Amino acid sequence: MKLHRFWRRFRAVVRKEALHIVRDPRSLGTALVLPLLQLLLFGYAIRFDIREVKTAVVDRDRSEESRGFVDGLTSSGLFSVVDRPSSGADLDALLARGKVRMGIVVPHDFERDLERGGAKVQVLVDGTDANFATAALGYFMAYVQRASTAIARAAARRSGRTEILRAFPPIRTQLRIWFNEDLRSENFVVPGVIAMVLMTLAAQLTSIAVAREYEHNTMEQLVVSPIHRLELLLGKLVPYVGLGFAQVALVVLAARLLFHVPIRGSLVLMTFATALFLAGAMALGLFFSVATRSQQVAQQISIIATMLPAVILSGFVFPIESMPKVLQAVTLIVPARYYLVVLRGIFLKGVGISVLWPQLLWLALFALGISALCARTFRKSLE
Amino acid sequence: MTPPAPRNPFSWRRVRAIARKELWQFLRDPRLLPLVFFAPVFELTLFGYAATMDVKNVRIAVVDHDRTEASRSLVGALTASGIFRVADRPASGSGIERGLLIGSVAAGVEIPAGYGGDLQRGSSASVAIWVDGANANYASIVQAYMEQIVAREGLKRVTLAVRRGPPLRLPTIGAEVRVWYNPSLESVQFMVPGVLCLVLLLDTMILTAMAIVKERERGTFAQLVVTPIRPTELMIGKLLPFAVIGMIVMTLVLAVADFWFGVRFAGSALLLYVLTGLFLFTTLGLGLWVSTVSRTQQQAMMTAFLVMFPTMMLAGVFYPIDNMPEPVQWLTYAIPMRYYITIVRGILLKGAGLSTLWPEALGLAVFGAAIFTLSVARFRGTTE
């Protein structure tokens, strides 16, 4: 008997909220378009990998060795020598104007020093974008190492000591790249975009849901109706969860069709994990809504507490291991971190619940915890 | 004959009244105020400390079938670099594979039996390296570092082998590195302009849009329109407080960046403020435009997001424009924020002046004026 009444009231709230959503085609359209837009942006436009770094080279030696060194640089594809200035001052000017990000100066006695045992080149890098500079330097040093090995081998060959020649390369590496053999940026980006987009929109939408009622003073009407607060909260949540699923479906479809991102694991598991994640994210937004009763404030808090952590602290772009210990600890309470592990696991690694159960457990606990917090805060606010 | 229309000259008094009302409404909200001022500091901290691609503490699994001095030396070289950390020592390659699957390690090294012997005999040895490719960018940097360390170790071994015969010098190439503008290679230097942009957008575009729409929702906007106030006065009065708030918040961000993070301020503060004022025409204009196309606060927020996200992504705030495909790079020329980011980076980090930055300032002025004019025209339409 009671369940029947609960169901009826719950359905009424769901219908009302769903009507709110549908009658606002702009917001609905944006909710569906924005995720796709994000996906397209990240998939096509934003590339994290370093390729063809614009470099300028000052070759003061102009010997065979120095030319070989510079030519080898371009053949790797990572660097692109766009200019060969004749003086250090010209190089400095190119760096200052931002025409090149890196500059290499090969000193006057490069070849001669090599014959004597060792030569040094000077590399200047634009440190404005520290991440880029670090990566570019890393690649450059790897190249220097390779060039060193090649030169050593050539020296060994010239010496006629064939037994040493046999030793090259001293250590051969057999490289196996797992899960994303071609190191496609898209495969890595798409799961992150899904997590980011869901987190952002989920919380934003629900953050306004309850606050709007307070601001329009319709909350009093709801309070004096027979509706229980649980029915109200759940009823408000459900349509947005539905919207969230629609967003995920769109993005995953686009990811498959446009970017050919593989889905090696179970879609069922992914749906389940998404439901948990959405529940948690939306409960969080709802919590802000209930706690602040102001759309403006709820929205601003939402951005800080959901979007930014989802992008920065989830391991999407910036590796968690590189963060200071304190922040690494903070990432432990960021839902997007766990959801990202699940997504990457299902998309790229093809693992199942036996591997991902800790993440799923955490997501479930988070959703429950925030919902409980929500319900409690709501009760207080009604008094 | 109709009587002549009454004269209604522009009145700064009315502008002040509107601005004061707007400011009061803002200050009266006990939560919005601290939020607007503390959020930027929080964001700066987050970006400054967390947003680093500095590769270190990479967890690796090591399988050593050889257990000779040579193999231990290789592992030692990996850990001594500070980049890698041995998190696991499984008994076989399948242990590495499992580690990659569950994500406990990001890479693995398997040294076959006979490694040391090969090196001793002066022939080529081999090692197997696994890398988790799921995080593609990270993976390629990890790979580069690994190859570099392995190659260096290899050369060291060959040099040792060479010593056993007649003297032969095996030449090496070294590199002397100089980093410009940011010698310690801290990401925060790069992030501060980005955070500044984000903060200005949030505070001057979104807040403005939502404030205007809130009033429209309440119905008080219509009441304002029927007063003698002119549309221009209404507009200036509404935008001015947010412009001021934006400037104050910007100062806060710069102060925190300087005193806490030690981000150097290499250029002219005056130039920065002037050009920021120019940028505000863009953000306020956008906020105004969003308010004219939205009937509810929810719509305003969603529309603002729709505008904000691509703008921030494509303006080179967090991701370099150089890396984008050519057609997209051309597109970014129409985004005023792109110029603003270049300006902020130039002034903060490189100490650039107007002589270098005038193209960007011009772009900002032109596009900002265009956006602002269009938005104002639309706004005036809504007041009639």
Short mmCIF file of all heavy atoms in Angstrom, two decimals, chain A residues 24 26 45 49 101 119 121 123 125 127 131 148 161 169-170 172 174-176 178 180 188 204 212 215 292 304 322 349, chain B residues 31 42 53-54 100 124-125 127 129-131 133-134 143 166 173-174 176 178 180 182 293 297-299 301 322-324:
data_model
loop_
_atom_site.label_atom_id
_atom_site.label_comp_id
_atom_site.label_asym_id
_atom_site.label_seq_id
_atom_site.Cartn_x
_atom_site.Cartn_y
_atom_site.Cartn_z
N ASP A 24 12.99 22.94 -21.91
CA ASP A 24 14.08 23.89 -22.07
C ASP A 24 15.01 23.32 -23.13
O ASP A 24 16.06 22.77 -22.81
CB ASP A 24 14.80 24.05 -20.73
CG ASP A 24 15.85 25.12 -20.79
OD1 ASP A 24 15.99 25.78 -21.84
OD2 ASP A 24 16.56 25.31 -19.79
N ARG A 26 17.02 24.51 -25.15
CA ARG A 26 18.39 25.02 -25.21
C ARG A 26 19.30 24.23 -24.27
O ARG A 26 20.36 23.77 -24.65
CB ARG A 26 18.40 26.49 -24.82
CG ARG A 26 19.80 27.00 -24.50
CD ARG A 26 20.42 27.63 -25.70
NE ARG A 26 19.56 28.73 -26.15
CZ ARG A 26 19.48 29.89 -25.52
NH1 ARG A 26 20.21 30.11 -24.46
NH2 ARG A 26 18.66 30.81 -25.95
N ALA A 45 41.59 18.35 -32.13
CA ALA A 45 42.39 19.56 -32.02
C ALA A 45 43.49 19.48 -30.98
O ALA A 45 44.59 19.97 -31.21
CB ALA A 45 41.49 20.75 -31.71
N ASP A 49 50.74 14.87 -27.53
CA ASP A 49 52.07 14.35 -27.86
C ASP A 49 52.94 15.42 -28.50
O ASP A 49 52.47 16.36 -29.11
CB ASP A 49 51.95 13.13 -28.77
CG ASP A 49 50.91 13.33 -29.84
OD1 ASP A 49 50.13 14.29 -29.74
OD2 ASP A 49 50.87 12.53 -30.79
N ARG A 101 61.01 26.72 -30.26
CA ARG A 101 60.91 26.40 -28.84
C ARG A 101 62.24 25.88 -28.31
O ARG A 101 62.46 25.80 -27.12
CB ARG A 101 59.84 25.31 -28.63
CG ARG A 101 58.51 25.62 -29.26
CD ARG A 101 57.77 26.66 -28.45
NE ARG A 101 57.21 26.10 -27.24
CZ ARG A 101 56.00 25.58 -27.14
NH1 ARG A 101 55.22 25.56 -28.18
NH2 ARG A 101 55.56 25.10 -26.00
N ALA A 119 82.54 15.38 -27.02
CA ALA A 119 82.16 16.73 -27.41
C ALA A 119 80.86 17.09 -26.72
O ALA A 119 80.12 16.22 -26.26
CB ALA A 119 81.99 16.80 -28.93
N VAL A 121 77.30 19.61 -26.93
CA VAL A 121 76.49 20.60 -27.63
C VAL A 121 75.71 21.38 -26.58
O VAL A 121 75.50 20.91 -25.47
CB VAL A 121 75.50 19.95 -28.63
CG1 VAL A 121 76.24 19.24 -29.73
CG2 VAL A 121 74.57 19.01 -27.90
N VAL A 123 72.16 23.15 -25.62
CA VAL A 123 70.75 23.19 -26.00
C VAL A 123 70.02 24.23 -25.15
O VAL A 123 70.17 24.27 -23.93
CB VAL A 123 70.09 21.79 -25.88
CG1 VAL A 123 70.28 21.21 -24.50
CG2 VAL A 123 68.62 21.84 -26.21
N VAL A 125 66.25 25.78 -24.28
CA VAL A 125 64.84 25.44 -24.44
C VAL A 125 63.97 26.51 -23.78
O VAL A 125 64.32 27.06 -22.74
CB VAL A 125 64.56 24.03 -23.84
CG1 VAL A 125 64.75 24.03 -22.35
CG2 VAL A 125 63.19 23.55 -24.22
N GLY A 127 61.41 27.63 -21.57
CA GLY A 127 60.83 26.98 -20.40
C GLY A 127 59.45 27.47 -20.01
O GLY A 127 58.91 27.09 -18.97
N ASN A 131 55.94 21.74 -18.87
CA ASN A 131 55.66 20.35 -19.23
C ASN A 131 56.19 20.03 -20.61
O ASN A 131 56.80 19.00 -20.85
CB ASN A 131 54.15 20.09 -19.19
CG ASN A 131 53.62 20.21 -17.78
OD1 ASN A 131 54.35 19.95 -16.82
ND2 ASN A 131 52.39 20.62 -17.64
N SER A 148 75.26 9.28 -29.67
CA SER A 148 76.50 8.88 -29.01
C SER A 148 76.85 7.44 -29.35
O SER A 148 77.99 7.11 -29.68
CB SER A 148 76.33 8.99 -27.49
OG SER A 148 77.06 10.04 -26.98
N ARG A 161 88.72 -2.90 -34.80
CA ARG A 161 88.58 -3.94 -33.78
C ARG A 161 87.17 -4.51 -33.88
O ARG A 161 86.24 -4.03 -33.25
CB ARG A 161 88.85 -3.35 -32.40
CG ARG A 161 90.31 -2.98 -32.33
CD ARG A 161 90.76 -2.46 -31.02
NE ARG A 161 90.31 -3.21 -29.88
CZ ARG A 161 90.50 -2.74 -28.65
NH1 ARG A 161 91.09 -1.57 -28.47
NH2 ARG A 161 90.08 -3.42 -27.61
N PRO A 169 74.44 -2.84 -31.09
CA PRO A 169 74.24 -1.96 -29.94
C PRO A 169 74.45 -2.72 -28.65
O PRO A 169 74.08 -3.89 -28.57
CB PRO A 169 72.78 -1.52 -30.09
CG PRO A 169 72.13 -2.60 -30.86
CD PRO A 169 73.18 -3.21 -31.74
N PRO A 170 75.02 -2.11 -27.67
CA PRO A 170 75.37 -2.83 -26.45
C PRO A 170 74.17 -3.52 -25.84
O PRO A 170 74.24 -4.68 -25.46
CB PRO A 170 75.90 -1.73 -25.52
CG PRO A 170 76.24 -0.61 -26.39
CD PRO A 170 75.39 -0.68 -27.60
N ARG A 172 70.21 -4.23 -26.73
CA ARG A 172 69.06 -4.08 -27.61
C ARG A 172 67.80 -4.12 -26.77
O ARG A 172 67.65 -4.98 -25.93
CB ARG A 172 69.01 -5.23 -28.63
CG ARG A 172 69.77 -4.98 -29.91
CD ARG A 172 69.81 -6.22 -30.78
NE ARG A 172 70.58 -7.31 -30.20
CZ ARG A 172 70.08 -8.51 -29.91
NH1 ARG A 172 68.83 -8.77 -30.14
NH2 ARG A 172 70.84 -9.44 -29.38
N GLN A 174 63.80 -4.72 -26.63
CA GLN A 174 62.60 -5.18 -27.32
C GLN A 174 61.44 -4.50 -26.63
O GLN A 174 61.12 -4.78 -25.48
CB GLN A 174 62.45 -6.69 -27.17
CG GLN A 174 63.55 -7.45 -27.85
CD GLN A 174 63.67 -8.84 -27.24
OE1 GLN A 174 62.97 -9.18 -26.30
NE2 GLN A 174 64.58 -9.63 -27.79
N LEU A 175 60.82 -3.60 -27.37
CA LEU A 175 59.79 -2.78 -26.76
C LEU A 175 58.42 -3.35 -27.03
O LEU A 175 58.09 -3.69 -28.15
CB LEU A 175 59.88 -1.36 -27.32
CG LEU A 175 58.94 -0.33 -26.73
CD1 LEU A 175 59.25 -0.11 -25.28
CD2 LEU A 175 59.10 0.97 -27.49
N ARG A 176 57.63 -3.50 -25.96
CA ARG A 176 56.26 -3.92 -26.13
C ARG A 176 55.35 -2.88 -25.51
O ARG A 176 55.38 -2.67 -24.31
CB ARG A 176 55.99 -5.25 -25.45
CG ARG A 176 56.72 -6.39 -26.08
CD ARG A 176 56.80 -7.54 -25.15
NE ARG A 176 57.97 -8.33 -25.48
CZ ARG A 176 58.25 -9.47 -24.89
NH1 ARG A 176 57.48 -9.93 -23.93
NH2 ARG A 176 59.33 -10.13 -25.24
N TRP A 178 51.78 -2.01 -24.50
CA TRP A 178 50.54 -2.72 -24.28
C TRP A 178 49.33 -1.81 -24.31
O TRP A 178 49.40 -0.66 -23.92
CB TRP A 178 50.62 -3.42 -22.92
CG TRP A 178 51.14 -4.78 -23.06
CD1 TRP A 178 52.17 -5.19 -23.84
CD2 TRP A 178 50.66 -5.95 -22.42
NE1 TRP A 178 52.36 -6.53 -23.72
CE2 TRP A 178 51.45 -7.03 -22.85
CE3 TRP A 178 49.64 -6.17 -21.51
CZ2 TRP A 178 51.23 -8.32 -22.42
CZ3 TRP A 178 49.43 -7.46 -21.07
CH2 TRP A 178 50.22 -8.53 -21.54
N ASN A 180 47.68 -0.11 -26.19
CA ASN A 180 47.47 1.01 -27.11
C ASN A 180 48.70 1.04 -27.99
O ASN A 180 49.51 1.94 -27.92
CB ASN A 180 47.32 2.29 -26.29
CG ASN A 180 46.99 3.49 -27.14
OD1 ASN A 180 46.76 3.41 -28.34
ND2 ASN A 180 47.00 4.65 -26.52
N PHE A 188 43.70 7.33 -25.50
CA PHE A 188 43.96 7.75 -24.13
C PHE A 188 43.04 8.91 -23.74
O PHE A 188 42.61 9.02 -22.60
CB PHE A 188 45.44 8.11 -24.04
CG PHE A 188 45.75 9.38 -23.31
CD1 PHE A 188 45.58 9.46 -21.95
CD2 PHE A 188 46.24 10.47 -23.98
CE1 PHE A 188 45.89 10.62 -21.27
CE2 PHE A 188 46.56 11.62 -23.31
CZ PHE A 188 46.38 11.70 -21.96
N GLN A 204 26.66 20.12 -12.49
CA GLN A 204 26.12 21.44 -12.81
C GLN A 204 24.60 21.41 -12.91
O GLN A 204 23.91 22.27 -12.38
CB GLN A 204 26.69 21.91 -14.17
CG GLN A 204 28.14 22.29 -14.13
CD GLN A 204 28.33 23.64 -13.53
OE1 GLN A 204 27.65 24.59 -13.87
NE2 GLN A 204 29.28 23.76 -12.62
N ARG A 212 16.84 26.06 -7.68
CA ARG A 212 15.86 26.77 -8.48
C ARG A 212 14.51 26.83 -7.76
O ARG A 212 13.82 27.83 -7.76
CB ARG A 212 15.71 26.08 -9.83
CG ARG A 212 14.85 26.83 -10.81
CD ARG A 212 14.79 26.12 -12.13
NE ARG A 212 14.34 24.75 -11.98
CZ ARG A 212 14.81 23.73 -12.69
NH1 ARG A 212 15.73 23.93 -13.60
NH2 ARG A 212 14.36 22.51 -12.49
N GLU A 215 14.64 29.40 -5.09
CA GLU A 215 14.64 30.78 -5.60
C GLU A 215 13.29 31.17 -6.15
O GLU A 215 12.87 32.31 -6.01
CB GLU A 215 15.72 30.92 -6.67
CG GLU A 215 17.11 31.06 -6.07
CD GLU A 215 18.13 31.43 -7.12
OE1 GLU A 215 17.74 31.64 -8.28
OE2 GLU A 215 19.31 31.51 -6.77
N THR A 292 23.17 25.26 -0.47
CA THR A 292 23.34 26.69 -0.72
C THR A 292 22.04 27.41 -1.07
O THR A 292 21.91 28.60 -0.83
CB THR A 292 24.31 26.92 -1.88
OG1 THR A 292 23.71 26.42 -3.08
CG2 THR A 292 25.62 26.25 -1.64
N ILE A 304 34.15 24.33 -9.12
CA ILE A 304 35.40 24.12 -8.40
C ILE A 304 35.50 22.70 -7.89
O ILE A 304 36.55 22.07 -7.92
CB ILE A 304 35.48 25.07 -7.20
CG1 ILE A 304 35.43 26.50 -7.70
CG2 ILE A 304 36.73 24.83 -6.41
CD1 ILE A 304 35.28 27.46 -6.57
N SER A 322 53.12 12.14 -10.29
CA SER A 322 53.99 13.31 -10.36
C SER A 322 53.58 14.40 -9.39
O SER A 322 54.29 15.39 -9.23
CB SER A 322 53.99 13.88 -11.78
OG SER A 322 54.35 12.90 -12.69
N LYS A 349 42.03 -2.14 -21.89
CA LYS A 349 42.68 -3.33 -21.37
C LYS A 349 41.79 -4.57 -21.43
O LYS A 349 42.28 -5.69 -21.31
CB LYS A 349 43.12 -3.10 -19.92
CG LYS A 349 44.09 -1.96 -19.77
CD LYS A 349 44.65 -1.88 -18.34
CE LYS A 349 45.50 -0.63 -18.18
NZ LYS A 349 46.11 -0.55 -16.85
N ARG B 31 27.74 33.78 0.88
CA ARG B 31 28.56 32.69 0.39
C ARG B 31 29.22 33.01 -0.92
O ARG B 31 30.32 32.56 -1.20
CB ARG B 31 27.70 31.43 0.23
CG ARG B 31 27.23 30.87 1.54
CD ARG B 31 25.87 30.28 1.38
NE ARG B 31 25.03 31.15 0.60
CZ ARG B 31 23.79 30.87 0.29
NH1 ARG B 31 23.26 29.76 0.70
NH2 ARG B 31 23.08 31.69 -0.45
N PHE B 42 42.33 28.86 -4.70
CA PHE B 42 42.25 27.41 -4.71
C PHE B 42 42.65 26.87 -6.07
O PHE B 42 43.42 25.92 -6.19
CB PHE B 42 40.81 27.00 -4.37
CG PHE B 42 40.51 25.55 -4.56
CD1 PHE B 42 40.95 24.61 -3.65
CD2 PHE B 42 39.79 25.11 -5.67
CE1 PHE B 42 40.67 23.27 -3.82
CE2 PHE B 42 39.51 23.78 -5.85
CZ PHE B 42 39.96 22.85 -4.93
N MET B 53 53.43 17.62 -15.74
CA MET B 53 53.68 16.42 -16.53
C MET B 53 55.07 15.89 -16.24
O MET B 53 55.56 15.02 -16.94
CB MET B 53 53.59 16.77 -18.03
CG MET B 53 52.21 16.90 -18.54
SD MET B 53 51.37 15.34 -18.55
CE MET B 53 52.34 14.44 -19.73
N ASP B 54 55.66 16.43 -15.21
CA ASP B 54 56.99 16.00 -14.81
C ASP B 54 56.97 14.51 -14.51
O ASP B 54 56.28 14.06 -13.60
CB ASP B 54 57.36 16.77 -13.54
CG ASP B 54 58.84 16.93 -13.42
OD1 ASP B 54 59.53 16.68 -14.43
OD2 ASP B 54 59.30 17.29 -12.33
N LEU B 100 50.58 -4.71 -15.33
CA LEU B 100 50.08 -3.72 -16.28
C LEU B 100 48.57 -3.77 -16.35
O LEU B 100 47.90 -2.74 -16.42
CB LEU B 100 50.67 -3.99 -17.67
CG LEU B 100 52.14 -3.64 -17.87
CD1 LEU B 100 52.59 -4.05 -19.26
CD2 LEU B 100 52.37 -2.15 -17.68
N SER B 124 76.36 -8.28 -28.15
CA SER B 124 75.17 -7.49 -27.85
C SER B 124 74.23 -8.24 -26.93
O SER B 124 73.94 -9.41 -27.13
CB SER B 124 74.48 -7.18 -29.19
OG SER B 124 73.54 -6.20 -29.02
N ALA B 125 73.75 -7.59 -25.91
CA ALA B 125 72.78 -8.19 -25.00
C ALA B 125 71.40 -7.62 -25.31
O ALA B 125 71.27 -6.65 -26.04
CB ALA B 125 73.16 -7.88 -23.56
N VAL B 127 67.27 -6.69 -23.71
CA VAL B 127 66.35 -6.53 -22.59
C VAL B 127 64.95 -6.33 -23.16
O VAL B 127 64.81 -5.75 -24.23
CB VAL B 127 66.69 -5.26 -21.78
CG1 VAL B 127 66.12 -5.35 -20.41
CG2 VAL B 127 68.14 -5.03 -21.70
N ILE B 129 61.30 -4.55 -22.71
CA ILE B 129 60.66 -3.45 -21.98
C ILE B 129 59.17 -3.43 -22.31
O ILE B 129 58.78 -3.47 -23.46
CB ILE B 129 61.28 -2.10 -22.39
CG1 ILE B 129 62.74 -2.05 -21.95
CG2 ILE B 129 60.52 -0.94 -21.75
CD1 ILE B 129 63.40 -0.74 -22.29
N TRP B 130 58.36 -3.40 -21.27
CA TRP B 130 56.91 -3.24 -21.46
C TRP B 130 56.53 -1.82 -21.04
O TRP B 130 57.05 -1.31 -20.05
CB TRP B 130 56.15 -4.18 -20.52
CG TRP B 130 55.95 -5.56 -20.97
CD1 TRP B 130 54.86 -6.07 -21.58
CD2 TRP B 130 56.84 -6.66 -20.77
NE1 TRP B 130 55.00 -7.41 -21.79
CE2 TRP B 130 56.21 -7.80 -21.30
CE3 TRP B 130 58.10 -6.80 -20.21
CZ2 TRP B 130 56.79 -9.06 -21.29
CZ3 TRP B 130 58.68 -8.05 -20.19
CH2 TRP B 130 58.03 -9.16 -20.73
N VAL B 131 55.60 -1.22 -21.74
CA VAL B 131 55.07 0.08 -21.33
C VAL B 131 53.55 0.06 -21.44
O VAL B 131 53.01 -0.44 -22.42
CB VAL B 131 55.64 1.22 -22.20
CG1 VAL B 131 55.04 2.55 -21.79
CG2 VAL B 131 57.14 1.27 -22.10
N GLY B 133 50.52 1.51 -22.54
CA GLY B 133 50.24 2.55 -23.53
C GLY B 133 48.94 3.29 -23.33
O GLY B 133 48.61 4.17 -24.11
N ALA B 134 48.19 2.93 -22.29
CA ALA B 134 46.87 3.55 -22.13
C ALA B 134 46.98 5.06 -22.00
O ALA B 134 46.19 5.80 -22.56
CB ALA B 134 46.14 2.96 -20.92
N GLN B 143 58.97 5.81 -22.21
CA GLN B 143 59.76 5.02 -23.15
C GLN B 143 61.06 5.73 -23.49
O GLN B 143 62.13 5.12 -23.51
CB GLN B 143 58.93 4.81 -24.42
CG GLN B 143 59.64 4.02 -25.48
CD GLN B 143 58.89 4.13 -26.79
OE1 GLN B 143 57.70 4.42 -26.83
NE2 GLN B 143 59.60 3.88 -27.88
N PRO B 166 93.76 -3.07 -26.50
CA PRO B 166 94.56 -1.88 -26.75
C PRO B 166 93.69 -0.65 -26.57
O PRO B 166 92.49 -0.68 -26.83
CB PRO B 166 94.99 -2.01 -28.23
CG PRO B 166 94.64 -3.40 -28.63
CD PRO B 166 93.69 -3.98 -27.63
N ILE B 173 78.77 12.04 -26.84
CA ILE B 173 78.25 13.39 -26.98
C ILE B 173 77.52 13.75 -25.70
O ILE B 173 76.69 12.98 -25.21
CB ILE B 173 77.26 13.50 -28.15
CG1 ILE B 173 77.92 13.01 -29.43
CG2 ILE B 173 76.80 14.94 -28.33
CD1 ILE B 173 76.99 13.09 -30.62
N GLY B 174 77.83 14.89 -25.17
CA GLY B 174 77.10 15.36 -24.01
C GLY B 174 76.31 16.60 -24.37
O GLY B 174 76.54 17.19 -25.41
N GLU B 176 74.77 20.34 -22.84
CA GLU B 176 74.69 21.32 -21.76
C GLU B 176 73.36 22.06 -21.95
O GLU B 176 73.10 22.63 -23.00
CB GLU B 176 75.87 22.28 -21.92
CG GLU B 176 76.00 23.35 -20.87
CD GLU B 176 76.99 24.38 -21.37
OE1 GLU B 176 78.13 23.99 -21.67
OE2 GLU B 176 76.60 25.56 -21.49
N ARG B 178 70.37 24.73 -21.15
CA ARG B 178 69.98 26.00 -20.55
C ARG B 178 68.49 26.22 -20.78
O ARG B 178 68.02 26.16 -21.91
CB ARG B 178 70.79 27.14 -21.19
CG ARG B 178 71.96 27.58 -20.35
CD ARG B 178 72.72 28.68 -21.01
NE ARG B 178 71.84 29.77 -21.39
CZ ARG B 178 72.07 30.59 -22.43
NH1 ARG B 178 73.12 30.39 -23.18
NH2 ARG B 178 71.24 31.55 -22.72
N TRP B 180 65.33 28.64 -20.70
CA TRP B 180 64.98 30.06 -20.68
C TRP B 180 63.66 30.29 -19.96
O TRP B 180 62.73 29.53 -20.06
CB TRP B 180 64.82 30.52 -22.14
CG TRP B 180 66.11 30.94 -22.74
CD1 TRP B 180 67.34 30.41 -22.53
CD2 TRP B 180 66.28 31.99 -23.68
NE1 TRP B 180 68.26 31.07 -23.29
CE2 TRP B 180 67.65 32.05 -24.00
CE3 TRP B 180 65.40 32.89 -24.28
CZ2 TRP B 180 68.17 32.97 -24.89
CZ3 TRP B 180 65.92 33.81 -25.17
CH2 TRP B 180 67.30 33.85 -25.46
N ASN B 182 62.29 30.02 -17.29
CA ASN B 182 61.70 29.21 -16.22
C ASN B 182 62.70 28.14 -15.85
O ASN B 182 62.47 26.96 -16.06
CB ASN B 182 60.40 28.60 -16.74
CG ASN B 182 59.66 27.81 -15.68
OD1 ASN B 182 60.06 27.77 -14.52
ND2 ASN B 182 58.59 27.17 -16.08
N VAL B 293 20.35 35.83 -24.55
CA VAL B 293 19.79 34.64 -25.21
C VAL B 293 19.28 33.61 -24.21
O VAL B 293 18.87 32.53 -24.60
CB VAL B 293 20.82 33.98 -26.15
CG1 VAL B 293 21.22 34.92 -27.25
CG2 VAL B 293 22.00 33.46 -25.39
N GLN B 297 18.35 31.01 -15.44
CA GLN B 297 19.74 30.92 -15.01
C GLN B 297 20.37 29.63 -15.50
O GLN B 297 21.55 29.58 -15.81
CB GLN B 297 19.82 30.99 -13.48
CG GLN B 297 19.56 32.39 -12.96
CD GLN B 297 19.79 32.48 -11.48
OE1 GLN B 297 20.90 32.28 -11.02
NE2 GLN B 297 18.75 32.78 -10.75
N GLN B 298 19.56 28.59 -15.56
CA GLN B 298 20.11 27.32 -16.03
C GLN B 298 20.55 27.44 -17.48
O GLN B 298 21.64 27.00 -17.85
CB GLN B 298 19.05 26.23 -15.91
CG GLN B 298 19.53 24.89 -16.43
CD GLN B 298 18.66 23.75 -15.96
OE1 GLN B 298 17.92 23.87 -15.00
NE2 GLN B 298 18.77 22.63 -16.64
N GLN B 299 19.71 28.09 -18.27
CA GLN B 299 20.07 28.29 -19.67
C GLN B 299 21.34 29.12 -19.78
O GLN B 299 22.21 28.86 -20.60
CB GLN B 299 18.94 29.02 -20.41
CG GLN B 299 17.89 28.11 -20.95
CD GLN B 299 16.94 28.86 -21.85
OE1 GLN B 299 16.93 30.08 -21.89
NE2 GLN B 299 16.14 28.12 -22.57
N MET B 301 23.74 29.38 -17.68
CA MET B 301 24.91 28.60 -17.32
C MET B 301 25.32 27.67 -18.43
O MET B 301 26.49 27.58 -18.78
CB MET B 301 24.58 27.80 -16.06
CG MET B 301 25.74 27.00 -15.56
SD MET B 301 25.17 25.72 -14.46
CE MET B 301 24.43 24.60 -15.62
N ASP B 322 50.46 25.22 -31.15
CA ASP B 322 51.37 24.66 -32.15
C ASP B 322 51.06 23.22 -32.49
O ASP B 322 51.31 22.76 -33.60
CB ASP B 322 52.81 24.69 -31.61
CG ASP B 322 53.33 26.10 -31.56
OD1 ASP B 322 52.76 26.95 -32.27
OD2 ASP B 322 54.29 26.34 -30.84
N ASN B 323 50.55 22.49 -31.49
CA ASN B 323 50.31 21.08 -31.70
C ASN B 323 49.04 20.78 -32.46
O ASN B 323 48.79 19.64 -32.84
CB ASN B 323 50.22 20.38 -30.33
CG ASN B 323 51.59 19.92 -29.86
OD1 ASN B 323 52.58 20.27 -30.47
ND2 ASN B 323 51.63 19.16 -28.79
N MET B 324 48.19 21.81 -32.62
CA MET B 324 46.90 21.54 -33.23
C MET B 324 47.02 21.46 -34.74
O MET B 324 47.94 22.02 -35.34
CB MET B 324 45.92 22.65 -32.85
CG MET B 324 45.71 22.76 -31.35
SD MET B 324 44.55 24.09 -30.98
CE MET B 324 44.75 24.21 -29.23
#
